């Protein structure tokens, strides 16, 4: 991307930036039992965009956390499907529920960090 286009482009949340935000979330004392990682992801133009993946411990599948769209400060979560129904005792269900709460809190945290990042960049379109 030419330098003049970079200057006029909206802010991007790189993999390194998302890793720092996830570390900050964990360092704040959130109890995270899940395997949280920032996967490599590129947009259609080959730019680093990052993708947060929460691997579930108490069920098959994972939760994918990402911005709702390009230059979008709002975040969304996608729960991956499993091939079969899962039966579990109450204590495992409660543990899974705790994983979902933490994933929701992390998604909310990433959204607020994105809003702050966009505001500090002075670039997010507020129309």
């Amino acid at each position: 991307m030419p330098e003049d286009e970079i200057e006029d482009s909206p802010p991007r949340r790189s993999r390194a930036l998302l890793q720092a935000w996830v570390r900050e979330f964990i360092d704040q004392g959130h109890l995270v039992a899940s395997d949280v990682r920032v996967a490599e992801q590129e947009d259609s133009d080959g730019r680093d965009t990052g993708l947060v993946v929460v691997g579930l411990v108490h069920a098959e599948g994972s939760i994918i956390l990402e911005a709702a769209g390009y230059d979008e400060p709002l975040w969304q979560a996608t729960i991956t499907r499993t091939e079969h129904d899962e039966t579990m005792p109450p204590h495992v269900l409660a543990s899974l529920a705790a994983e979902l709460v933490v994933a929701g809190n992390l998604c909310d945290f990433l959204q607020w960090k994105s809003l702050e990042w966009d505001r500090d960049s002075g670039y997010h379109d507020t129309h």
Side-chain angles (χ1 to χ4, degrees):
M1 178 179 278
E3 189 68 32
D4 59 334
E5 286 183 37
I6 291 173
E7 288 179 13
D8 292 332
S9 67
R12 289 179 182 76
R13 294 159 204 95
S14 68
R15 183 173 186 235
L17 180 61
L18 292 178
Q19 286 172 326
W21 289 352
V22 168
R23 271 192 308 277
E24 182 180 342
F25 178 80
I26 292 169
D27 289 347
Q28 288 178 352
H30 296 274
L31 300 176
V32 179
S34 306
D35 172 34
V36 179
R37 64 185 175 84
V38 180
E40 291 184 37
Q41 175 174 288
E42 295 178 349
D43 65 11
S44 60
D45 293 327
R47 295 174 293 220
D48 173 19
T49 59
L51 182 73
V52 180
V53 179
V54 179
L56 298 174
V57 173
H58 295 94
E60 286 188 28
S62 58
I63 302 171
I64 299 168
L65 308 177
E66 62 185 335
Y70 181 71
D71 190 32
E72 216 16 88
L74 302 178
W75 280 64
Q76 62 190 13
T78 302
I79 300 174
T80 62
R81 293 182 164 188
T82 61
E83 294 296 319
H84 61 281
D85 294 342
E86 292 195 38
T87 302
M88 59 189 71
H91 69 279
V92 174
L93 180 60
S95 296
L96 175 59
E99 286 187 88
L100 296 174
V101 168
V102 170
N105 290 342
L106 176 56
C107 192
D108 189 50
F109 178 82
L110 294 170
Q111 180 169 297
W112 283 107
K113 293 299 285 188
S114 292
L115 288 166
E116 180 180 66
W117 174 258
D118 288 357
R119 184 176 46 250
D120 289 347
S121 74
Y123 234 102
H124 184 71
D125 185 16
T126 57
H127 304 285

